[in-house]
Amino acid sequence: MTIGNRIKTLSARFAGSNNEGVLAIIIVVLVIVMSLLSPSFFTVHTLFSIARSALVPAVLAIAVLLVIISGGIDVSFAAIAIFAAYTTVHFAQQGQFDPGIIGILIISCLIGGLLGLVNGAVIARFRLPTLIVTLATQGIFRGILLVYIGSRYIAQLPDSMAGLSTANLIAIEGSRSYLPLLIVPVAVLVLLVAWMLRRTMFGRGIYAIGGDTEAARRAGFPVVRFQIILYVMVGAIAAIGGLIHVILNRNANPQDIVGTELDVIAAVVLGGASIFGGRGSVLGTVLGVVLVQLINNSLLLMGVPTAWQRAAVGLLLVVGVGIQAISARRASRRTFVLDTVEA
């Protein structure tokens, strides 16, 4: 093997199958640049703040990743997240009981799973476009939440949730830097989903469905059943994200989370997940979430208005999708040339 080939092989291994290495380099460069521009950036307080702000987007991004790998686009995850979390808190308050954090988690996941089942059943059974279905269910879920369950702000959480909201894994009182204990269950969830995608038949089935639904069906994968299970799982994961959001904010507001879809989808796409389906990784998604949070935090420190922060994230999404489209065109051209040569 020549030196040039070795360098190409090493660079390909470092970049990773979804360009995770490239994303990691961009994050490091951004941290160095911001540290030079603002000495207060490279501190433990900033690190913990970014980690805290990334918890909910990371959970929601994992849910979106599963849908994108399967070849779909889900925009209802935010509505499901706040629907499940707010409904659980509302019922606990109305019934004046505290089922404990495990009970709250189970109730919330059941609600999220049921909402996900609605998406999955419609998409899998009628083979409708995922974007249109989830756009419709987003409005339906949000309407049901505000009209039939509640539209008022709940400041008093059940004791088990309130206690967890002040629990920290690391606390540095001098600099008032706190790392929430909730980072532990989020890390466990991330590892479980990564294991599921890599090691289980269900995970392989998701990739296969995203690559080519008909080919997956011919290969023996039960496409309809896998799609329904997938959207139930996505709904449950979104519910966990909504629950974490409510706990960290120490209140339940039915107006929250909806509107964050752009940041989450941008993070997943920047993390290397293909909008055409069949490709994506948990590591890349987590790095994408970190990058988006870093950019938002950096722009905030620089005094950039919120509207321009949203514009920056939108621009990143366009760049990410554009790169994928160019790569797909090049790949199709190479395939055409090879087929022509063989013929």
Side-chain angles (χ1 to χ4, degrees):
M1 183 181 289
T2 64
I3 295 176
N5 289 335
R6 287 181 180 178
I7 292 174
K8 287 181 180 179
T9 302
L10 289 173
S11 61
R13 287 180 180 176
F14 176 77
S17 58
N18 298 284
N19 293 322
E20 294 93 344
V22 176
L23 203 57
I25 291 175
I26 293 173
I27 291 172
V28 171
V29 170
L30 181 59
V31 169
I32 293 172
V33 171
M34 284 307 303
S35 299
L36 294 174
L37 294 176
S38 176
S40 62
F41 180 84
F42 196 69
T43 60
V44 175
H45 179 77
T46 302
L47 175 64
F48 284 3
S49 296
I50 292 174
R52 185 183 189 277
S53 64
L55 290 181
V56 176
V59 175
L60 297 179
I62 292 298
V64 173
L65 171 67
L66 296 175
V67 176
I68 289 181
I69 289 176
S70 71
I73 296 289
D74 186 355
V75 294
S76 68
F77 62 90
I80 292 175
I82 194 60
F83 188 111
Y86 182 85
T87 302
T88 303
V89 173
H90 175 76
F91 286 161
Q93 188 190 59
Q94 292 293 313
Q96 297 183 346
F97 74 103
D98 183 0
I101 194 62
I102 300 299
I104 287 172
L105 177 64
I106 292 173
I107 295 170
S108 184
C109 285
L110 285 174
I111 295 172
L114 286 173
L115 298 180
L117 178 61
V118 174
N119 283 339
V122 174
I123 291 168
R125 293 294 181 183
F126 300 102
R127 299 184 183 182
L128 297 176
T130 56
L131 177 61
I132 301 302
V133 172
T134 56
L135 191 62
T137 55
Q138 179 195 52
I140 294 170
F141 296 156
R142 187 164 168 76
I144 292 173
L145 173 65
L146 297 176
V147 175
Y148 294 105
I149 297 175
S151 58
R152 65 184 184 83
Y153 173 92
I154 300 177
Q156 187 65 38
L157 298 180
D159 292 340
S160 57
M161 294 179 69
L164 191 57
S165 67
T166 57
N168 296 304
L169 184 64
I170 301 175
I172 304 174
E173 297 294 342
S175 60
R176 304 187 70 178
S177 304
Y178 307 100
L179 185 65
L181 183 62
L182 287 171
I183 196 171
V184 175
V186 171
V188 171
L189 176 65
V190 167
L191 292 174
L192 283 174
V193 173
W195 173 82
M196 184 268 294
L197 287 174
R198 284 172 172 262
R199 302 295 182 184
T200 67
M201 188 60 68
F202 179 71
R204 296 189 188 98
I206 294 174
Y207 281 106
I209 292 169
D212 188 327
T213 304
E214 188 57 36
R217 187 177 285 107
R218 291 178 180 177
F221 290 105
V223 173
V224 172
R225 192 202 318 164
F226 272 22
Q227 284 182 322
I228 292 175
I229 294 173
L230 170 67
Y231 281 94
V232 171
M233 185 182 297
V234 167
I237 294 174
I240 294 173
L243 208 57
I244 292 174
H245 172 84
V246 168
I247 292 173
L248 289 176
N249 284 273
R250 303 178 186 180
N251 62 71
N253 186 348
Q255 306 292 341
D256 283 353
I257 303 183
V258 176
T260 63
E261 294 88 353
L262 176 63
D263 285 2
V264 175
I265 294 174
V268 177
V269 173
L270 289 171
S274 172
I275 57 170
F276 305 107
R279 198 185 78 207
S281 71
V282 172
L283 175 59
T285 296
V286 172
L287 290 174
V289 170
V290 172
L291 178 60
V292 170
Q293 294 303 315
L294 269 173
I295 291 172
N296 285 336
N297 190 276
S298 301
L299 294 176
L300 188 64
L301 285 176
M302 294 169 64
V304 177
T306 305
W308 284 108
Q309 293 177 29
R310 304 292 296 170
V313 174
L315 179 61
L316 284 173
L317 180 58
V318 171
V319 170
V321 173
I323 291 172
Q324 289 184 11
I326 292 171
S327 299
R329 283 183 183 178
R330 287 179 178 176
S332 63
R333 285 175 184 173
R334 288 172 188 165
T335 303
F336 175 76
V337 171
L338 288 172
D339 289 343
T340 304
V341 171
E342 289 176 0

